[in-house]
C-alpha cells in the first residue's frame, strides 16, 4: 500500500511540476536580482544589479564582494573550480607553483575584456574600507573572507594577464619566446606590481607565500630590467 | 588545501549538527512550527481546517468543531527527504555516506565537492503524541530538519558550505470553547525548546576550518539553543447548511512575542487569517481553503511566502486526497485511514530563501499514525 501511495503521490507531483508558481509575482531587491543572476551565471546582469545596489547604498559592503565575484565570473575565473580543482591530481592540484595552479582555472587565451573584468574584480574589493578586507579583523565577520577573496582575485589578475602572452609553441612544447617579447613594460608592471601589492597585503597564507616565492624567482632571473627578468622567468619555468 | 581537510571532517560535521539540533532551534520564517502532513499536502492551509494533532498548532478554535467528543488520541510519525534525493536514491546517498572513505583519495574528494555543489541535502523527521477532545488538548512533539548545501557564491561570492536546520520540541496545552453555534475560540500555551542554526563555512577559509578541526565545540557555540513559553489565540467564525460550510479563521501566533531563554532571540507575534469553503456530499467532503500568514509583516517576507492555498477531498472518511500551493509551490498527497492505523504520503515544496526559486526544496514525506 505504501508503495502505491508513494508512486501515485510522486506521479501527481511530477505531473503538476514543482517549479514555484510565485515567480512572476515576486518583486526582487537589487541584491536578490544580482544573486539570482549570479547563480544563473548571467554575470553581465549580476554586474548591472550589484552596481545599482552599490550606487543606491555605497555602504552595502556585501554587494561589493558579490560584484567582485560577478566580474571574476565574467573574466572566466571560477573560484569553486579553482578550490575544488586543487584536489584533482591531474589539474591544479598536481602543480606546486601558484601561477600554474591558478593558470588552469583562468582562460588560457583571454580577451582584453576578460582581463579588464578581472582587474575590475580586484579593484572592486580594493574599494572596500581596509577594515572590511582585513584577514585579522575578527570584529567584522566578513573581513577575513573578503581578504581571502581579494588575494585570489589579485593573483588571478596577474595570471590571466600572463596568459595573454604565454602561448605554447607546438613544436618545442615550451612557451613561445616571440609571444613573450610582445609584453610591454606596462604589462609587466600590471603583472608584477599587482603581485607585489598582493605580497605586501598577504604575507601569510598559501597565496601570499606562493606569490612571494614567484617574486623572488623573478628577481633572481637573469636580465637587466624587470621586463627581461619576467620574460626569462616565464620562458624557463 | 583547506577544502581537503574540510571534506575529511564533513561527515562528522553533518552528524554533529544533526545531534546538536536535537537539543535546540530559532525561527526565520512565519511558517508554522509544525504542520500535520496531510495539511501540508493541502498547501499547508490550516486556519480553517486542520487534521488530528495539527489542530493545536494550526488554530486552537478548530477544536470544538468535530462531531465526536474525542478528536484524536494517538501518535504520528513522519520522515521527509529531498525529493530529488529520494528519486535518485542510492546514487546520491553513496556520495554522502561514503564521503569519509572517498575523502581519503583526493580525486574522490573533488567528486564530493561536485556532488555537494550540485544539489542540496535535506531530510527531517517529525513525531507527535496527542490527546484532543472538543475542549481540551495536550500534545508533545518534535520536528527536526537538516539542510546541507554547497553554495557556489554563498559567502559574499566565495564558495561556502551552508548548514541550516530547524529543530523544535515541546509541549502544548490547548483550551477551546464554542459559546454560540457560529463561533468558537481557543488558546494554546506552548513550551518550546528550539533552534534554527544557519551556518556558512567558506571552503577557502582555512582558519575557520582549522578551528572546526581542532575543536568541534566551536560549532556548538554557533547553535543558539533556546527555550520559551508562548501563547497562540485563535477564533473561528462559520456558517453551515446541509451542503456548504463557510468559515473564517483568525489566529494571533506568539501573542506579545515569545522570548527565548538565550536572551537574544524572540519569536515575533504574527496575525494570520484564513478562509474556508466546504461542500458536503453523502459520503464525501471537499474543503477549499486559503490562508494568509503574518498579515502585519513581522518577518518582512515577500507576499508569496505568506500565501497558502489548498483543497482536500475526503471519501467515506477512509481515503483522503489533497492538492495545494505552499508558498507558490505545488503540493499533493494521499492518506488512507483504517480506524486505528493511518498511512499517507505528501509531496510538497518549501522556499527556504527569500525569493521564488532561491532555496526551494522539493520534499516527499511518508507518515503513519496510530490512534483514533
Amino acid at each position: 500500500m505504501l508503495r502505491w501511495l508513494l508512486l501515485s503521490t510522486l506521479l501527481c507531483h511530477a505531473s503538476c511540476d514543482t517549479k514555484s508558481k510565485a515567480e512572476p509575482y515576486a518583486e526582487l531587491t537589487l541584491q536578490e536580482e544580482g544573486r539570482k543572476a549570479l547563480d544563473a551565471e548571467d554575470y553581465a546582469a549580476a554586474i548591472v544589479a550589484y552596481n545599482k545596489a552599490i550606487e543606491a547604498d555605497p555602504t552595502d559592503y556585501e554587494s561589493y564582494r558579490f560584484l567582485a565575484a560577478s566580474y571574476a565570473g565574467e573574466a572566466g575565473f571560477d573560484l569553486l573550480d579553482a578550490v575544488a580543482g586543487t584536489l584533482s591530481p591531474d589539474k591544479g592540484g598536481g602543480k606546486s607553483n601558484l601561477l600554474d595552479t591558478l593558470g588552469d582555472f583562468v582562460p588560457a587565451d583571454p580577451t582584453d575584456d576578460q582581463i579588464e573584468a578581472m582587474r575590475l574584480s580586484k579593484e572592486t574589493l580594493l574599494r572596500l574600507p581596509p577594515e572590511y578586507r582585513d584577514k585579522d579583523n575578527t570584529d567584522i565577520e566578513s573581513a577575513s573572507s573578503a581578504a581571502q577573496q581579494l588575494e585570489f582575485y589579485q593573483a588571478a589578475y596577474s595570471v590571466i594577464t600572463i596568459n595573454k602572452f604565454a602561448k605554447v609553441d607546438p613544436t618545442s612544447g615550451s612557451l613561445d619566446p616571440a609571444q613573450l617579447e610582445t609584453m610591454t613594460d606596462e604589462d609587466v608592471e600590471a603583472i608584477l606590481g599587482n603581485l607585489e601589492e598582493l605580497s605586501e597585503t598577504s604575507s601569510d597564507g598559501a597565496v601570499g607565500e606562493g606569490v612571494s616565492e614567484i617574486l623572488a624567482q623573478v628577481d633572481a632571473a637573469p636580465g637587466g630590467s624587470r621586463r627581461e627578468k619576467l620574460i626569462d622567468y616565464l620562458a624557463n619555468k | 588545501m583547506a577544502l581537503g581537510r574540510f571534506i575529511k571532517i564533513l561527515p562528522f560535521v553533518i552528524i554533529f549538527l544533526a545531534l546538536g539540533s536535537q537539543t535546540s532551534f530559532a525561527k526565520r520564517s512565519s511558517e508554522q512550527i509544525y504542520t500535520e502532513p496531510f495539511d501540508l499536502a493541502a498547501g499547508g492551509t490550516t486556519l480553517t481546517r486542520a487534521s488530528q494533532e495539527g489542530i493545536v498548532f494550526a488554530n486552537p478554535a478548530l477544536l470544538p468543531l468535530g462531531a465526536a467528543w474525542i478528536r484524536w488520541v494517538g501518535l504520528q510519525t513522519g520522515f521527509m527527504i529531498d525529493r530529488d534525493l529520494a528519486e535518485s536514491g542510492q546514487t546520491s546517498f553513496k556520495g554522502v555516506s561514503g564521503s569519509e572513505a572517498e575523502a581519503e583519495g583526493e580525486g574522490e574528494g573533488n567528486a564530493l565537492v561536485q556532488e555537494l555543489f550540485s544539489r542540496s541535502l535535506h531530510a527531517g523527521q517529525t513525531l507527535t503524541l496527542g490527546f484532543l477532545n472538543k475542549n481540551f488538548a495536550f500534545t508533545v512533539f518534535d520536528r527536526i530538519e537538516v539542510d546541507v548545501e554547497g553554495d557556489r557564491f554563498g559567502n559574499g561570492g566565495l564558495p561556502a558550505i551552508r548548514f541550516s536546520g530547524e529543530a523544535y520540541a515541546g509541549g502544548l496545552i490547548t483550551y477551546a470553547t464554542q459559546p454560540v453555534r457560529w463561533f468558537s475560540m481557543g488558546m494554546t500555551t506552548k513550551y518550546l525548546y528550539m533552534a534554527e542554526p544557519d551556518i556558512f563555512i567558506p571552503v577557502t577559509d582555512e582558519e575557520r576550518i582549522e578551528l572546526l578541526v581542532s575543536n568541534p565545540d566551536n560549532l556548538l557555540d554557533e547553535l543558539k539553543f533556546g527555550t520559551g513559553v508562548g501563547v497562540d489565540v485563535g477564533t473561528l467564525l462559520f456558517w453551515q447548511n446541509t451542503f456548504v460550510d463557510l468559515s473564517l479563521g483568525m489566529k494571533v501566533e506568539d501573542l506579545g512575542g515569545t522570548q527565548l531563554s538565550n536572551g537574544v532571540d524572540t519569536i515575533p507575534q504574527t496575525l494570520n487569517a484564513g478562509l474556508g469553503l466546504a461542500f458536503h456530499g453523502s459520503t464525501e467532503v471537499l474543503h477549499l481553503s486559503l490562508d494568509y500568514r503574518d498579515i502585519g509583516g513581522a518577518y518582512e517576507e515577500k507576499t508569496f511566502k505568506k500565501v497558502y492555498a489548498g483543497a482536500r477531498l475526503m471519501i467515506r472518511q477512509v481515503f483522503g486526497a489533497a492538492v495545494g500551493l505552499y508558498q507558490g509551490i505545488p503540493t499533493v498527497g494521499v492518506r488512507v485511514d483504517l480506524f486505528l492505523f493511518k498511512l499517507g504520503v505528501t509531496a510538497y515544496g518549501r522556499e527556504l530563501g527569500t525569493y521564488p526559486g532561491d532555496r526551494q526544496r522539493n520534499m516527499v514525506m511518508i507518515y503513519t499514525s496510530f490512534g483514533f
Side-chain angles (χ1 to χ4, degrees), chain A residues 2 5 9 13 17-18 21-22 26-27 32 35-36 38 41 65-66 78-79 83-84 86-87 145 148-149, chain B residues 3 83 106 110 151-153 155-158 204-205 302 304 328 330 332 334 347 354-356 360 362 366:
Chain A
L2 176 62
L5 288 176
T9 306
H13 205 218
D17 182 13
T18 54
K21 310 298 176 203
E27 198 172 314
E32 287 170 340
R35 187 58 213 273
K36 192 176 178 184
L38 197 52
E41 297 182 25
R65 297 185 60 204
F66 282 113
D78 186 333
L79 199 45
V83 172
T86 55
L87 297 170
S145 294
Q148 285 180 334
Q149 195 171 3
Chain B
L3 185 61
R83 209 192 76 178
E106 293 194 327
N110 190 18
D151 189 343
R152 201 170 155 194
F153 302 103
N155 176 34
L158 290 178
T204 51
D205 194 337
K302 294 189 196 308
F304 84 96
V332 63
V334 288
T354 60
Y355 56 86
Q360 182 177 326
N362 297 315
I366 297 170

Side-chain angles (χ1 to χ4, degrees), chain A residues 6 10 41 45-46 48 70 74 81 84 86 106 153 158 178 183 185 191 196 207 212 216-217 221-222 231:
Chain A
L6 185 59
L10 286 177
E41 297 182 25
V48 170
S70 307
E74 186 82 339
D81 275 353
T86 55
V106 295
Y153 294 163
S158 286
M183 203 183 286
D185 285 337
I191 294 164
E196 281 160 357
V207 175
S212 300
Q217 287 168 354
I231 289 173

Side-chain angles (χ1 to χ4, degrees), chain B residues 102-288:
Chain B
E102 286 178 358
E104 287 172 17
E106 293 194 327
E108 289 82 0
N110 190 18
L112 177 62
V113 173
Q114 299 300 335
E115 177 74 15
L116 262 176
F117 281 83
S118 64
R119 70 174 69 205
S120 60
L121 311 172
H122 190 113
Q125 160 275 329
T126 66
L127 181 71
T128 65
L129 179 65
F131 168 86
L132 288 73
N133 76 14
K134 290 189 75 160
N135 298 107
F136 175 78
F138 177 74
T139 310
V140 291
F141 82 107
D142 87 324
R143 177 170 76 88
I144 295 170
E145 291 189 47
V146 177
D147 190 90
V148 183
E149 72 173 326
D151 189 343
R152 201 170 155 194
F153 302 103
N155 176 34
L158 290 178
I161 307 285
R162 183 176 192 170
F163 298 92
S164 57
E166 296 154 280
Y168 289 87
L172 296 87
I173 296 173
T174 303
Y175 176 77
T177 182
Q178 186 178 359
V180 288
R181 245 187 88 214
W182 49 269
F183 178 74
S184 67
M185 57 187 180
M187 186 174 92
T188 294
T189 303
K190 57 192 178 186
Y191 172 79
L192 297 177
Y193 191 47
M194 55 178 282
E196 283 190 14
D198 191 16
I199 300 167
F200 280 93
I201 301 178
V203 296
T204 51
D205 194 337
E206 291 188 55
E207 285 177 28
R208 185 105 187 264
I209 295 168
E210 188 64 49
L211 215 62
L212 282 174
V213 176
S214 61
N215 185 9
D217 282 350
N218 292 322
L219 193 60
L220 190 63
D221 293 341
E222 302 202 32
L223 306 176
K224 291 185 174 65
F225 301 104
T227 59
V229 176
V231 173
D232 300 341
V233 177
T235 60
L236 189 74
L237 283 165
F238 54 96
W239 298 268
Q240 196 168 33
N241 71 23
T242 316
F243 303 108
V244 182
D245 296 352
L246 179 65
S247 50
L248 176 65
M250 298 278 284
K251 184 172 77 153
V252 177
E253 200 164 297
D254 296 292
L255 185 68
T258 299
Q259 179 67 51
L260 299 182
S261 61
N262 60 20
V264 179
D265 298 327
T266 301
I267 303 175
Q269 172 182 303
T270 59
L271 175 63
N272 312 280
L275 189 65
L277 188 61
F279 299 93
H280 298 269
S282 54
T283 56
E284 60 284 325
V285 188
L286 174 67
H287 291 272
L288 306 175

Side-chain angles (χ1 to χ4, degrees), chain A residues 91-163:
Chain A
K91 230 179 170 188
K95 298 167 181 172
S96 57
N97 183 292
L98 178 73
L99 295 184
D100 293 336
T101 305
L102 282 182
D104 281 341
F105 305 104
V106 295
D109 192 11
T111 64
D112 287 342
D113 285 347
Q114 286 175 312
I115 294 172
E116 176 62 6
M118 203 64 243
R119 187 188 70 80
L120 287 171
S121 176
K122 74 176 182 79
E123 291 300 329
T124 300
L125 286 177
L126 285 169
R127 284 163 61 197
L128 284 173
E131 65 270 24
Y132 279 84
R133 48 181 168 84
D134 178 356
K135 202 182 266 186
D136 300 321
N137 186 353
T138 52
D139 294 335
I140 299 169
E141 200 179 346
S142 62
S144 168
S145 294
Q148 285 180 334
Q149 195 171 3
L150 178 57
E151 282 179 4
F152 275 112
Y153 294 163
Q154 281 180 308
Y157 172 59
S158 286
V159 173
I160 200 171
T161 311
I162 289 170
N163 277 4

Side-chain angles (χ1 to χ4, degrees), chain B residues 26-45:
Chain B
K27 209 164 183 293
R28 288 186 294 272
S29 141
S30 65
E31 290 166 284
Q32 282 188 177
I33 55 173
Y34 172 83
T35 305
E36 199 276 337
F38 188 65
D39 296 337
L40 266 181
T45 52

